[in-house]
């Protein structure tokens, strides 16, 4: 059995064990990652709300910079190579080599992985949300607990950016 086949089988087994663990714990795709806090009681309609004035020593807040875009992270060839390797060994297990959500482990999931090539996915998911899912996993954005995070990438913004670009590239085909 070659290394690639062993990796797919190991990843599939790990995914099945995760499914079994989630099923035993009663976890579901629809559980919110951060439930809403309880509503605060509204102030009495007869008592006016006190006016909020900044203290004289406080400087006024700086206006938000309009039109400022997030500075793009440049991807080095080394980071691209690492991202390609990670996608092939980890992401493709569920999302498939071509990003269709048809990886070998996907068959065992109650909720199928995202297909990166659809216009709906590409329009709905921001780059920032992708970065968060890649590093922190599905639960960080209210998605499946079966989507594991990659905390080792927290300090590798170039690799994360290369993965986001790879995911975006599936929508351009």
């Amino acid at each position: 059995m070659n290394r690639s086949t062993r990796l797919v089988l190991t990843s599939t087994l790990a995914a099945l064990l995760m499914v079994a663990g989630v099923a035993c714990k009663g976890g579901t795709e629809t559980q919110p990652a951060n439930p809403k806090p309880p509503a605060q009681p509204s102030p009495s309609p007869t008592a006016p709300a006190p006016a909020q004035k900044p203290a004289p020593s406080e400087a006024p807040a700086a206006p938000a910079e309009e039109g400022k875009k997030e500075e793009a992270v440049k991807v080095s060839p080394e980071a691209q190579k690492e991202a390609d390797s990670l996608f092939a060994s980890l992401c493709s297990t569920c999302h498939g080599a071509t990003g269709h959500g048809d990886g070998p482990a996907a068959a065992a999931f109650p909720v199928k992985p995202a297909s990166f090539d659809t216009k709906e996915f590409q329009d709905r998911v921001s780059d920032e949300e992708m970065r968060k899912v890649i590093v922190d996993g599905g639960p960080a954005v209210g998605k499946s607990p079966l989507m594991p995070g990659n905390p080792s990438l927290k300090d590798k913004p170039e690799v994360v950016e290369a993965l986001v670009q790879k995911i975006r590239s599936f929508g351009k085909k």
Side-chain angles (χ1 to χ4, degrees):
M1 185 178 328
N2 67 27
R3 183 178 183 273
S4 177
T5 304
R6 276 193 312 248
L7 182 61
V8 169
L9 289 174
T10 302
S11 298
T12 303
L13 179 58
L16 290 172
L17 290 173
M18 285 190 296
V19 169
V22 169
C24 291
K25 293 177 188 174
T28 65
E29 170 71 357
T30 58
Q31 289 177 334
N34 297 317
K36 291 183 180 180
Q40 298 294 326
S42 59
S44 167
T46 59
Q52 298 279 335
K53 290 184 181 179
S57 62
E58 290 181 18
E65 293 182 38
E66 292 182 27
K68 182 178 179 184
K69 288 189 176 182
E70 183 178 328
E71 197 170 308
V73 174
K74 293 189 180 184
V75 177
S76 68
E78 296 80 20
Q80 185 66 54
K81 184 176 179 181
E82 184 175 350
D84 289 343
S85 175
L86 284 170
F87 191 90
S89 64
L90 298 176
C91 309
S92 68
T93 303
C94 300
H95 292 283
T98 57
H100 293 297
D102 59 354
F109 293 158
V111 176
K112 300 305 176 208
S115 179
F116 300 141
D117 66 337
T118 66
K119 180 172 177 18
E120 176 192 358
F121 174 84
Q122 293 289 334
D123 290 346
R124 176 178 42 92
V125 180
S126 69
D127 288 3
E128 188 55 39
E129 185 176 0
M130 281 189 220
R131 289 182 195 100
K132 186 146 186 74
V133 170
I134 290 167
V135 175
D136 299 326
V141 296
K143 300 293 182 188
S144 175
L146 298 177
M147 170 63 197
N150 299 281
S152 63
L153 296 178
K154 186 174 185 176
D155 296 325
K156 295 184 173 185
E158 282 186 82
V159 176
V160 173
E161 185 61 30
L163 285 166
V164 169
Q165 290 174 9
K166 184 167 190 73
I167 292 167
R168 289 290 182 213
S169 74
F170 291 119
K172 296 176 182 174
K173 293 180 180 179

